């Protein structure tokens, strides 16, 4: 029987498994790529986390350093102010002005205060005479005890920086700068933090002093604070880091979003898209850079033009002041000079009264012009001080003598009291010292109806300062006006200028002159009883000059204005001198060739050859004529023309209009001047 063969047939279960394997084979082929991508992106995420921690450390360190530098700069400024010599000298008014300048340079500060253990001595938030808060408000006892600077905690929204002030090696005061805590945010903002980050400046109690960044983060997120320098996880998927600020008890806390896998993947996609736009971006950037470069060049050009325009305006302003000074003072020279001569002539009573009125009007106009020009030069810092020996009691008597007639007209007694211990001869600028004293005495007479005006001077011990005071029995100054009495264009009342006259610049000029001398000026007053103005300047001993010689001189006058020429001749001839007058520089040189002279007075602004040219030509002459003393006559400010006068060979500068006694005093000073001191111009001016 034949055998039948039946072919083998696979089972249905095996066929389904194979079919599924074939269908899943593309997915199985992709699985390694997916696994590689997952591992790759996880690695990227870990790398991003490491970079984030590095960025946190770098940002926190930068913010901490920025705050440290800000605090160190503020403490340095305070320590520099604490070393002011005015504190060592006890000149608190001058120190207050110095502190006010520092406060103006740092607008973020709220106030500056000088504090003793039990009281505040100065607080720039309050006026000079206002009652000050207790010293305990500024918590300075620790600084006074340890002698070390300290940085305070948050108190009423403010932070105090304190430094010790040593007087004679002992901590006497604490100097305190109070600033709003939010002002510290400027230090954080200058460095900047990335978008979405947060940065807090916290004190030792965890209170927020300042905040920066765009991420909204409450201060409670750092309670309890993580260890300094270690990155810690915070609420809301953030990483945080705390770093202390050196020299303080503060910390900088920085927080950043931690990120995720999706964020990392998105970033890589953005990188791919960014590469496609790189070429276009580069071209756009080049174009923008070129435009910015052109804008920067245009800005620099405009800034240069603006600077040149400001310089031109300053030159025009200086030229205007010089022109005003010359054009007003030149006619005033003749007016006041001839009025002075006329007042000494035999006149009917009515005519003499008119002449006296003319003298007072001319002197008032001269004072007004002098105040305006002096204040302008003081504002520009163009006034230099002379250093000469001066007889202080005689100077005070001279100032009182000038104004004694005015005081007698009002029935006032004008008394000069010099302390027996006051040295007679000191070193200083006699012109500017006379200007300050005369201004204070004139004000006292002006505002006093009855009683007396007293000028007193003494030498204060430890430190040695010359104190000059002017007291009166006038109406006094209201307490609310006293702190502003030395401001420009400020007077004691709205009707003061109308009733008594004046420019409102006299006391402002006095304060600037005293400050330039290294001193300080102040005032105290009781309404209804009188006022006392006093200033102190450093004491420097002087020496008496050699005795003056007498006798007539042969004087050459060169002046192109006929009225001024005749006036000079009349004044000098009345003093007993022999005068030869010429109207220009060429004739003056011709006169010198034909005769010998003991002194030459010449105007600087003559037609043809001016005074500078004549002086240079005289110094080139042979023999004794080349050494004749030369005096420059000018209506310009002497300190502005002295370098050129010195170069031309002048010995002195006399400002017009001049007083007779000043002219004759200058002549006496030059005739006794040692030969080695010639050709060094002395600043002699009419007040």
């Amino acid at each position: 029987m034949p055998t039948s063969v039946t072919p083998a047939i696979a089972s249905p279960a095996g066929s389904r498994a194979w079919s599924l394997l074939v269908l899943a084979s593309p997915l199985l082929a992709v699985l390694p790529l997916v696994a590689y991508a997952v591992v790759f992106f996880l690695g990227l995420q870990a790398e991003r986390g490491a970079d984030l921690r590095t960025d946190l450390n770098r940002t926190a360190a930068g913010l901490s350093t920025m705050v440290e530098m800000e605090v160190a700069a503020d403490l340095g400024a305070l320590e520099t102010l604490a070393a002011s010599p005015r504190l060592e000298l006890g000149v608190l008014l001058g120190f207050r002005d110095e502190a006010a300048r520092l406060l103006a340079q740092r607008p973020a500060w709220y106030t500056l205060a000088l504090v003793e253990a039990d009281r505040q001595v100065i607080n720039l938030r309050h006026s000079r005479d206002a009652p000050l808060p207790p010293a305990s408000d500024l918590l300075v006892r620790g600084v006074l005890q340890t002698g070390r600077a300290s940085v305070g905690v948050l108190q009423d929204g403010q932070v105090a920086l304190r430094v010790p002030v040593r007087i004679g090696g002992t901590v006497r005061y604490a100097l305190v700068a109070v600033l709003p805590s939010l002002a510290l945010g400027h230090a954080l903002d200058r460095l900047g933090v990335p978008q979405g980050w947060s940065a807090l400046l916290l004190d030792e109690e965890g209170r927020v002093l300042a905040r920066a960044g765009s991420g909204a983060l409450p201060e409670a997120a750092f309670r309890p604070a993580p260890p300094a320098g270690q990155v810690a996880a915070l609420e809301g998927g953030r990483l945080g880091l705390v770093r202390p600020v050196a020299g303080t008890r503060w910390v900088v806390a920085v927080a950043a979003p931690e990120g995720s896998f999706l964020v990392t993947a998105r970033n890589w996609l953005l990188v791919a898209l960014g590469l496609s736009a790189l070429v276009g971006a580069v071209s756009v950037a080049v174009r923008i850079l070129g435009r910015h470069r052109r804008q920067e060049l245009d800005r620099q050009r405009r800034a240069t033009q603006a600077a040149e325009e400001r310089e031109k305006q300053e030159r025009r302003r200086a030229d205007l002041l010089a022109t005003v000074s010359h054009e007003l003072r030149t006619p005033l020279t003749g007016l006041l000079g001839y009025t002075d001569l006329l007042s000494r002539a035999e006149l009917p009573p009515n005519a003499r009264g008119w002449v006296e009125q003319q003298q007072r009007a001319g002197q008032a106009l001269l004072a007004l012009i002098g105040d305006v020009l002096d204040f302008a030069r003081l504002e520009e810092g163009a006034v230099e001080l002379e250093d000469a020996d001066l007889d202080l009691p005689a100077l005070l008597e001279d100032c009182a003598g000038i104004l004694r007639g005015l005081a007698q007209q009002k029935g006032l007694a004008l008394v000069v009291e010099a302390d027996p211990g006051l040295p007679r001869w000191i070193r200083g600028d006699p012109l500017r010292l006379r200007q300050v004293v005369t201004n204070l005495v004139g004000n006292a007479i002006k505002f006093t109806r009855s009683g007396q005006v007293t000028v007193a001077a003494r030498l204060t011990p430890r430190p040695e300062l010359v104190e000059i005071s002017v007291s009166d029995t006038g109406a006094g100054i209201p307490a609310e006006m006293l702190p502003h009495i030395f401001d420009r264009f400020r007077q004691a009342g709205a009707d003061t200028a109308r009733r008594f006259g004046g420019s409102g610049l006299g006391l402002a000029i006095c304060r600037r002159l005293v400050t330039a001398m290294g001193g300080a000026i102040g005032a105290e007053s009781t309404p209804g009883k009188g006022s006392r103005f006093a200033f102190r300047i450093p004491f420097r001993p002087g020496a008496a000059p050699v005795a003056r010689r007498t006798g007539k001189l042969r004087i050459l006058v060169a002046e192109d204005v006929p009225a001024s020429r005749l006036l000079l001749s009349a004044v000098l001839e009345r003093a007993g001198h022999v005068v030869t007058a010429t109207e220009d520089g060429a004739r003056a040189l011709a006169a010198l060739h034909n005769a010998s002279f003991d002194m030459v007075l010449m105007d600087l602004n003559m037609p043809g050859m001016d005074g500078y040219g004549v002086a240079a030509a005289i110094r080139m002459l042979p023999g004794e004529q080349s050494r004749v003393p030369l005096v420059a006559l000018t209506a310009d400010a002497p300190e502005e023309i002295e370098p050129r006068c010195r170069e031309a060979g002048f010995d002195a500068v006399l400002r017009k209009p001049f007083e007779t006694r000043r002219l004759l005093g200058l002549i006496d000073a030059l005739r006794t001047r040692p030969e080695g001191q010639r050709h060094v111009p002395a600043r002699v001016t009419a007040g």
Side-chain angles (χ1 to χ4, degrees):
M1 173 174 189
T3 304
S4 61
V5 178
T6 304
I9 301 175
S11 65
S15 298
R16 286 194 299 272
W18 180 256
S19 298
L20 291 174
L21 182 62
V22 172
L23 292 175
S25 59
L27 180 61
L28 294 176
V30 172
L31 281 177
L33 296 176
V34 172
Y36 174 79
V38 170
V39 172
F40 178 74
F41 283 118
L42 288 176
L44 288 178
Q45 186 177 17
E47 187 67 22
R48 174 178 170 79
D51 290 341
L52 181 60
R53 285 168 168 77
T54 301
D55 291 340
L56 273 172
N57 275 287
R58 183 168 57 249
T59 301
L63 292 174
S64 175
T65 301
M66 187 66 69
V67 174
E68 177 187 350
M69 292 172 62
E70 188 80 10
V71 173
D74 289 345
L75 289 175
L78 282 177
E79 290 171 348
T80 300
L81 181 61
S84 170
R86 288 187 172 89
L87 283 176
E88 191 73 22
L89 295 175
V91 186
L92 292 181
L93 288 178
F95 176 77
R96 183 185 179 95
D97 293 340
E98 190 175 350
R101 288 193 293 273
L102 175 60
L103 186 63
Q105 294 170 5
R106 296 181 176 270
W109 289 8
Y110 178 75
T111 188
L112 263 173
L114 184 67
V115 187
E116 286 183 328
D118 56 351
R119 69 187 185 97
Q120 294 190 31
V121 180
I122 294 174
N123 190 322
L124 296 185
R125 200 65 186 173
H126 303 269
S127 61
R128 285 189 175 93
D129 298 325
L132 301 180
S136 58
D137 290 358
L138 297 176
L139 305 177
V140 299
R141 190 166 298 278
V143 176
L144 295 175
Q145 291 175 350
T146 64
R148 293 193 297 269
S150 71
V151 179
V153 299
L154 183 66
Q155 183 178 7
D156 297 329
Q158 297 174 337
V159 174
L161 308 180
R162 311 176 186 92
V163 299
V165 179
R166 289 178 169 83
I167 306 296
T170 303
V171 177
R172 173 71 183 280
Y173 304 104
L175 188 59
V176 184
V178 180
L179 58 155
S181 63
L182 296 180
L184 299 170
H186 297 306
L188 303 179
D189 292 333
R190 276 199 293 275
L191 182 64
V193 296
Q195 182 68 25
W197 288 35
S198 298
L200 304 177
L201 180 63
L202 307 174
D203 66 5
E204 59 185 336
E205 298 181 13
R207 294 176 297 189
V208 176
L209 299 176
R211 185 187 300 269
S214 59
L217 181 68
E219 57 267 31
F222 286 94
R223 294 177 184 170
Q230 295 185 13
V231 178
L234 305 177
E235 61 181 15
R238 297 184 180 92
L239 293 180
L241 179 67
V242 172
R243 182 175 292 273
V245 179
T248 70
R249 297 182 180 180
W250 304 341
V251 296
V252 170
V254 182
E258 188 174 6
S260 63
F261 172 77
L262 294 178
V263 173
T264 305
R266 183 196 64 188
N267 290 341
W268 276 100
L269 290 175
L270 291 176
V271 169
L273 293 175
L275 289 176
S276 64
L278 181 60
V279 176
V282 168
S283 62
V284 172
V286 169
R287 186 170 182 178
I288 293 175
L289 184 61
R291 184 179 63 187
H292 286 175
R293 177 61 179 168
R294 290 191 299 272
Q295 291 176 348
E296 178 64 20
L297 291 175
D298 186 57
R299 187 191 65 79
Q300 293 178 358
R301 179 181 56 81
R302 290 196 302 269
T304 302
Q305 290 176 348
E308 292 175 351
E309 183 62 28
R310 285 194 300 270
E311 185 177 355
K312 290 179 181 178
Q313 291 177 355
E314 288 298 325
R315 286 198 300 268
R316 287 195 294 266
R317 183 169 179 263
D319 292 342
L320 177 61
L321 286 176
T323 301
V324 168
S325 175
H326 184 272
E327 295 301 326
L328 292 179
R329 287 181 177 271
T330 297
L332 274 176
T333 301
L335 173 64
L336 295 178
Y338 283 114
T339 303
D340 183 56
L341 291 175
L342 190 59
S343 66
R344 302 179 186 182
E346 294 293 335
L347 296 174
N350 289 342
R352 180 169 298 279
W354 298 336
V355 171
E356 291 174 354
Q357 290 291 341
Q358 183 177 350
Q359 278 184 312
R360 284 193 288 270
Q363 290 294 343
L365 179 58
L366 176 60
L368 178 59
I369 295 171
D371 282 351
V372 173
L373 297 177
D374 277 350
F375 189 82
R377 288 194 300 274
L378 284 166
E379 286 286 282
E380 295 175 354
V383 173
E384 297 180 0
L385 298 178
E386 182 182 358
D387 188 19
D389 295 312
L390 61 95
D391 185 345
L392 183 56
L395 184 144
L396 298 179
E397 286 289 352
D398 191 20
C399 294
I402 295 173
L403 297 169
R404 186 163 277 117
L406 179 60
Q408 291 173 351
Q409 290 177 8
K410 298 184 67 174
L412 303 176
L414 180 53
V415 181
V416 177
E417 298 177 351
D419 188 88
L422 178 69
R424 177 179 177 183
W425 293 95
I426 67 170
R427 297 284 295 181
D429 187 328
L431 168 68
R432 297 305 181 184
L433 193 59
R434 185 189 305 272
Q435 183 176 355
V436 175
V437 175
T438 304
N439 197 310
L440 295 180
V441 175
N443 279 352
I445 295 173
K446 182 191 302 183
F447 297 109
T448 303
R449 293 184 177 180
S450 61
Q452 74 175 29
V453 174
T454 303
V455 182
R458 68 186 182 100
L459 185 66
T460 65
R462 295 188 303 274
E464 288 189 327
L465 300 172
V466 176
E467 180 187 84
I468 300 174
S469 64
V470 177
S471 306
D472 62 62
T473 56
I477 303 170
E480 64 273 11
M481 290 301 301
L482 201 57
H484 310 288
I485 199 67
F486 291 99
D487 296 344
R488 59 181 180 177
F489 306 119
R490 295 293 293 271
Q491 296 190 354
D495 63 339
T496 300
R498 176 179 56 81
R499 293 173 56 198
F500 299 102
S503 62
L505 291 173
L507 291 179
I509 293 173
C510 288
R511 181 173 65 178
R512 282 164 172 79
L513 287 176
V514 171
T515 302
M517 296 177 192
I521 187 171
E524 55 189 28
S525 181
T526 302
K529 294 185 178 180
S531 305
R532 180 179 182 271
F533 287 79
F535 66 94
R536 292 181 175 184
I537 57 175
F539 166 68
R540 291 181 297 139
V546 296
R548 296 181 177 179
R549 294 184 308 207
T550 59
K552 66 180 181 180
L553 300 177
R554 293 163 298 175
I555 300 178
L556 174 63
V557 173
E559 170 63 74
D560 61 306
V561 179
S564 298
R565 187 168 62 250
L566 292 174
L567 174 63
L568 281 168
S569 300
V571 170
L572 295 174
E573 288 173 352
R574 172 174 288 185
H577 301 300
V578 178
V579 180
T580 300
T582 61
E583 58 267 28
D584 57 33
R587 288 181 173 83
L589 278 179
L592 280 167
H593 282 291
N594 297 327
S596 60
F597 294 93
D598 299 311
M599 191 172 298
V600 178
L601 280 68
M602 72 178 80
D603 187 68
L604 292 179
N605 300 308
M606 293 184 293
M609 179 180 289
D610 60 12
Y612 300 107
V614 176
I618 291 175
R619 295 307 180 203
M620 297 297 293
L621 293 175
E624 290 295 325
Q625 286 290 65
S626 65
R627 293 188 290 274
V628 63
L630 301 180
V631 179
L633 305 175
T634 179
D636 298 326
E639 56 269 11
E640 297 175 2
I641 63 173
E642 276 181 7
R644 190 175 177 188
C645 288
R646 183 182 296 110
E647 182 180 354
F650 281 102
D651 294 276
V653 179
L654 181 64
R655 188 178 185 183
K656 298 188 290 188
F658 53 82
E659 296 178 4
T660 300
R661 60 184 183 83
R662 293 188 182 277
L663 172 61
L664 299 180
L666 173 60
I667 292 174
D668 288 340
L670 287 178
R671 79 158 76 191
T672 60
R673 203 173 190 184
E675 186 67 26
Q677 294 182 8
R678 295 286 176 86
H679 320 319
V680 182
R683 288 190 290 106
V684 180
T685 65

